[in-house]
Amino acid sequence: MFKEFKELVEFVKKENVKIIDFKVITLPGRWNHLSIPVERLSESLFADGIGFDGSSYGYSSIENSDMCFIPDMSTAFIDPYCKVKTLSMVADIHTIGDRSGRFSGDPRFVSEKAEDYMRKLGIADEFIIGPEFEFYIFDNISFETKNNHQEVTINSKQAPWSRNDKEENYGYKVPFQKGYHIGLPYDVNNDLRSEMSIKLQEMGIPVKYHHHEVGAAGQLEIEVELGEMKKMADATMMAKYVIKNEAIANGKTATFMPKPLFGEAGSGMHVHMLLRKNGQNLFYDKNGYSQLSKDAMYFIGGILKHAKALLAFTNPSTNSYKRLVPGFEAPVSICFATGNRSSVIRVPGYVKDPQKRRFEFRSSDATANPYLAYSALLMAGLDGIVNKIDPVDAGYGPMDINVFKLSEEERNKIEALPTSLDEALNELKKDYEFLTRDGVFDEHFINNWIKYKYEKELLKVFPVPSPVEYEMYYDL
């Protein structure tokens, strides 16, 4: 929004801004924030930054946790969810003292380094991506985990299980797994979705379209237009911020959990991608498979070769792997195809514009830290181009058939994605060198990521018995 401090000050005075707010990305991918009164705004803040505890963000140990963040004024926006007029901006993380400078593990810095590496190779100028945001809107949710009591209760007025509700029941319930593009009056969140889309457009994030998704209990999708990787990582954080806050403003709640409901469709975050050089799409070749160039095929080869390790960043929650199960549209087979939703990489058949010819990675979900997930995908694809990894020669396809309808013998010939976060982290331990090229991800950061995921998430989830285990084992 601003290039110079003078512009920022003029805007603040003109718009009568009262609070300056700074949003900083945590390791797992949430925005934390800190605010100051407008009177404390100074140019030195953009040189010296504001100190904070990096260990609370997941970046460092307690005994070595002092860091600072420096705001990026180009990301500034008026926060529509603060009653007091607030100008907010995203900040970059820096180390202090003898090692002062950009923190190598700052996810925003990782994305910058990945783009710089791509340009150093001379392969492309831009990595262009377009995420699809799938999420659920519920009317109410409550959950509790105690030694003697585990419970989750979800209320969705449009879900088929609400047919017997005695209050505010007008009879229009979305049939189970039949929500895709369903119309009014079933689509009770249509106006809310429109409000979200308009708000995103006001924030400078162009929306391609929005619609109801498959899940009957309020699964929705908003797809945005293509853009440069780092900017789209910022936009992903903004989209989640808007969707969650807009839902609450309308008396509802939004979740990006990949599998919040047993038996219902899971929510992914498919990522469309292409490379550009001098404004031209490097992935288009009218004579190639599905009009894809050799570089596009090599890029696919790199992603599929490293797919198992990639999931540690693109699907980094224990819940991610409750979505990645056979039989639903979420892909579990490491292959590529055109128009095939059962493959990890799908080439959309509907894209006719040569400048937008592309493919999508379908496994990822929105529990990912977007800066890390998008950077990891870029690094895997670049490794494919550098090493000329042909996905056809490597046996990854094309699989222009429904993989789930193959015989078990044929299906077993196709490598499968990890079935748990534990497995994905172990794959990352074995296959991470492609990420460390030119210092994009460093080994310390990768080890810290694995340690964080084990200690803060896996070890928290693993010991807790679930109700279905009582159902299966209580009487043995």
Side-chain angles (χ1 to χ4, degrees), residues 221-453:
E221 178 178 315
I222 297 177
E223 185 172 340
V224 298
E225 294 286 2
L226 300 166
E228 292 179 76
M229 183 188 76
K230 184 189 170 189
K231 291 179 181 177
M232 290 311 300
D234 286 341
T236 298
M237 295 302 299
M238 180 67 78
K240 293 179 71 174
Y241 187 70
V242 167
I243 288 166
K244 291 175 183 177
N245 282 286
E246 205 66 34
I248 288 173
N250 283 270
K252 303 201 177 202
T253 179
T255 181
F256 289 87
M257 275 183 71
K259 196 74 170 181
L261 292 165
F262 165 64
E264 273 280 28
S267 295
M269 185 179 70
H270 311 148
V271 182
H272 295 253
M273 61 190 79
L274 59 91
L275 291 177
R276 283 186 191 151
K277 188 170 186 178
N278 299 323
Q280 296 301 305
N281 181 9
L282 297 182
F283 280 4
Y284 174 72
D285 180 349
K286 67 177 181 179
N287 298 316
Y289 165 79
S290 201
Q291 297 186 326
L292 291 178
S293 68
K294 266 294 183 185
D295 278 346
M297 296 296 283
Y298 292 149
F299 203 96
I300 288 172
I303 288 177
L304 294 178
K305 177 183 177 181
H306 300 296
K308 294 179 182 180
L310 281 173
L311 260 64
F313 289 110
T314 62
N315 301 75
S317 72
T318 59
N319 187 255
S320 297
Y321 299 87
K322 297 183 186 298
R323 167 181 167 257
L324 296 178
V325 294
F328 292 85
E329 283 194 358
V332 295
S333 300
I334 302 176
C335 59
F336 75 99
T338 300
N340 187 347
R341 286 173 166 80
S342 64
S343 57
V344 166
I345 285 183
R346 167 179 169 264
V347 184
Y350 58 79
V351 178
K352 304 302 181 185
D353 183 350
Q355 288 306 310
K356 293 184 178 180
R357 198 61 182 155
R358 61 184 185 269
F359 53 82
E360 62 173 329
F361 183 76
R362 292 183 57 79
S363 302
S364 45
D365 65 59
T367 61
N369 183 318
Y371 302 98
L372 303 179
Y374 301 157
S375 298
L377 287 167
L378 174 58
M379 295 301 289
L382 292 175
D383 187 65
I385 293 177
V386 169
N387 292 294
K388 294 182 167 48
I389 301 171
D390 190 311
V392 178
D393 292 345
Y396 295 130
M399 297 287 181
D400 293 320
I401 51 173
N402 186 341
V403 174
F404 301 129
K405 291 185 177 181
L406 289 173
S407 67
E408 185 175 352
E409 182 182 355
E410 290 296 314
R411 199 163 57 245
N412 288 340
K413 293 178 183 178
I414 305 172
E415 284 191 85
L417 293 174
T419 58
S420 68
L421 178 58
D422 188 22
E423 186 182 341
L425 293 172
N426 282 328
E427 292 292 340
L428 180 61
K429 287 180 184 178
K430 296 184 291 185
D431 179 23
Y432 65 84
E433 288 187 3
F434 72 98
L435 296 168
T436 62
R437 310 288 186 215
D438 206 43
V440 174
F441 289 76
D442 63 45
E443 193 168 349
H444 173 76
F445 177 85
I446 291 171
N447 289 334
N448 183 53
W449 176 263
I450 293 169
K451 183 173 183 283
Y452 183 94
K453 287 291 171 179

Side-chain angles (χ1 to χ4, degrees), residues 1 36 67 107-108 127 150 165 174 179 333 344 355 416-417 426 453:
M1 190 175 188
I36 62 172
M67 292 182 168
R108 289 191 92 227
F127 181 40
Q150 295 94 43
D165 285 357
V174 180
S333 300
V344 166
Q355 288 306 310
L417 293 174
N426 282 328
K453 287 291 171 179

Side-chain angles (χ1 to χ4, degrees), residues 19 73-74 80-81 106 116 123 148 190 217 249 258 334 354 372 394 453:
I19 295 290
M73 69 176 72
S74 70
Y81 303 107
D106 175 6
D116 287 344
I123 291 173
N148 67 329
N190 175 70
I334 302 176
L372 303 179
K453 287 291 171 179

